[in-house]
Amino acid sequence: SSGINAEYGEAIPLEEQQQRFGNRAFKTLGAAIGAKSQTWLEAVLPEEKKGGIVELKVYFDDSFGSFTRIDYGTGHEINFLAFCCCLYKIGLFNQSDHTATVFH
């Protein structure tokens, strides 16, 4: 198995804390995602599409939430939608991918 959960699921334990909202370990997860996301995108994009990584990485990273504020909301969901739209725009996805993009 690969991906974020396999790579970080047990590697970043929750922190013992007296904080009302969120766990500071989320910041550690954010740093790990930011450090690896370029490599992940390079691994899944064909060579001729890799020029889009600069923009894709921003939307991808921000779709996980605000690691500074330890926050996740609709703006972050919009970032994921923008990430998916970019994949369509660069031609990685096409019309035959519509159903899978929404339901899987």
Side-chain angles (χ1 to χ4, degrees):
S1 179
S2 64
I4 295 167
N5 193 44
E7 192 159 344
Y8 299 113
E10 295 180 22
I12 301 175
L14 295 176
E15 292 185 21
E16 295 293 327
Q17 63 184 45
Q18 293 292 326
Q19 190 167 335
R20 183 174 173 193
F21 298 106
N23 190 286
R24 287 186 301 265
F26 189 62
K27 292 182 178 191
T28 305
L29 175 65
I33 289 171
K36 288 288 229 161
S37 59
Q38 173 133 357
T39 302
W40 292 334
L41 291 168
E42 288 171 352
V44 298
L45 291 174
E47 195 61 42
E48 67 274 7
K49 307 290 183 191
K50 289 184 181 177
I53 289 177
V54 172
E55 187 166 348
L56 286 168
K57 182 179 180 348
V58 174
Y59 291 125
F60 181 79
D61 291 353
D62 288 349
S63 71
F64 288 92
S66 170
F67 301 110
T68 303
R69 293 189 343 253
I70 308 178
D71 172 68
Y72 183 84
T74 55
H76 303 103
E77 293 169 346
I78 293 295
N79 273 286
F80 184 71
L81 182 60
F83 172 73
C84 291
C85 288
C86 286
L87 294 177
Y88 275 96
K89 194 72 175 165
I90 66 172
L92 189 67
F93 291 161
N94 58 48
Q95 188 171 359
S96 66
D97 297 309
H98 285 352
T99 301
T101 303
V102 174
F103 293 110
H104 299 283

